[in-house]
Amino acid sequence: MSKPILAAQLYTVRDHTQTADDFRATLKKVSEIGYRSVQVSGIGPIPVEEVKAALDDNKLTCCITHISYDRLLNDLPQVIEEHKLWGCNHVGIGSMPPEFRGIGEAGYKNFIPFANEVSGKLADEGMTFGYHNHSFEFERYGNRTGLDILYDDSKNLNAILDTYWIQHGGADSAAWIHKVAGRMPVIHVKDMVMQGKEQIMAEVGEGNLNWPAILAACEETGVQYLAVEQDICQRDPFESLAISYKNLASWGYQ
């Protein structure tokens, strides 16, 4: 079993990636923390060639992206070309598009043909398509959750599980990692702490999630990248990325 590589989900520092100069400065900081890869997500309208140059100059790879539903639907050939330029084989969508929300079980079933079509076109180019969950997908419809429906009924759709949101939905991260074994090159890792009755996102290793079980499951199922993400930070987001990195590195990851 090989250990996954640590990556920084750039959505964590999205306020610092909206211009080409800020994007380059952010990648420099991320690289100096020790990260070897990033997820390109939440950045501003930066030319794709400049993204590639900044990645190369800071010796970072792009392990995965989040691409909007509109672009996947209407601009997929260009999306593919961008990913080829960046050397990135994994394309993700950040959540269920609004078009499929609010209609219960039918929304998941209606999303699957779209997911299968995108997955097939990406597979032809040697790429994968993954879905990133939150906690609403754990609403139950009979004996299955929405997330069960997605992965049971679409054999081509990959997973981008999120450890915080799985816990938030009342499920078990390690069990879900095993459920999608072989279908998840990248996982999102962030921790959870409690402030009174409120659940708060935290740096990896600073909260209550069962990291020995989560990380063992990742190694056992061949996860390639641990993408550190923190949507909301209680401190400077670069400091949060550094704390997560330090903790994960102390457990043997880099």
Side-chain angles (χ1 to χ4, degrees):
M1 297 184 295
S2 60
K3 289 184 177 294
I5 294 168
L6 297 186
Q9 216 294 44
L10 294 182
Y11 186 75
T12 307
V13 289
R14 58 195 176 277
D15 292 340
H16 304 274
T17 62
Q18 297 309 299
T19 69
D21 287 345
D22 284 350
F23 180 78
R24 181 175 287 275
T26 288
L27 290 194
K28 184 174 186 295
K29 290 180 180 179
V30 166
S31 178
E32 288 173 346
I33 290 170
Y35 288 99
R36 298 160 57 190
S37 189
V38 296
Q39 174 174 334
V40 174
S41 177
I43 70 172
I46 303 169
V48 295
E49 295 80 7
E50 293 193 32
V51 171
K52 169 64 171 173
L55 288 167
D56 289 348
D57 289 349
N58 289 284
K59 297 181 173 58
L60 292 165
T61 64
C62 176
C63 62
I64 199 168
T65 60
H66 276 175
I67 302 297
S68 70
Y69 171 66
D70 180 70
R71 289 203 70 203
L72 293 168
L73 185 66
N74 298 308
D75 196 24
L76 189 59
Q78 184 60 38
V79 169
I80 290 170
E81 290 308 307
E82 291 171 6
H83 283 69
K84 287 182 177 179
L85 174 66
W86 296 342
C88 179
N89 293 326
H90 306 299
V91 180
I93 188 169
S95 188
M96 184 64 67
E99 289 84 344
F100 304 95
R101 296 280 293 271
I103 54 175
E105 182 177 5
Y108 296 96
K109 293 187 173 181
N110 292 345
F111 177 76
I112 287 171
F114 164 78
N116 285 341
E117 181 177 2
V118 173
S119 298
K121 290 178 178 179
L122 290 174
D124 290 342
E125 303 294 336
M127 299 176 181
T128 70
F129 180 50
Y131 178 85
H132 171 261
N133 68 277
H134 292 82
S135 57
F136 67 84
E137 296 94 343
F138 291 95
E139 183 173 352
R140 298 187 70 84
Y141 306 98
N143 63 353
R144 296 199 296 173
T145 66
L147 208 59
D148 287 315
I149 293 169
L150 280 184
Y151 295 127
D152 289 347
D153 297 357
S154 175
K155 301 305 181 185
N156 298 320
L157 180 63
N158 269 10
I160 312 170
L161 295 181
D162 186 299
T163 56
Y164 173 91
W165 289 117
I166 292 174
Q167 184 75 27
H168 191 273
D172 179 86
S173 291
W176 264 96
I177 292 166
H178 282 287
K179 179 179 174 65
V180 298
R183 299 170 65 178
M184 188 169 64
V186 182
I187 186 172
H188 282 187
V189 289
K190 55 177 168 279
D191 217 328
M192 177 186 287
V193 295
M194 299 301 297
Q195 290 185 0
K197 296 181 179 180
E198 187 177 1
Q199 297 161 318
I200 301 293
M201 295 176 182
E203 296 79 9
V204 175
E206 299 297 305
N208 299 322
L209 268 64
N210 185 354
W211 290 107
I214 291 169
L215 295 171
C218 288
E219 293 187 33
E220 290 162 3
T221 59
V223 172
Q224 299 169 23
Y225 294 92
L226 305 175
V228 173
E229 179 186 45
Q230 199 169 333
D231 313 31
I232 301 171
C233 301
Q234 306 302 311
R235 50 173 59 87
D236 179 89
F238 291 102
E239 183 181 356
S240 289
L241 284 177
I243 291 170
S244 289
Y245 182 90
K246 180 182 177 181
N247 288 341
L248 284 161
S250 73
W251 300 334
Y253 298 88
Q254 60 182 336

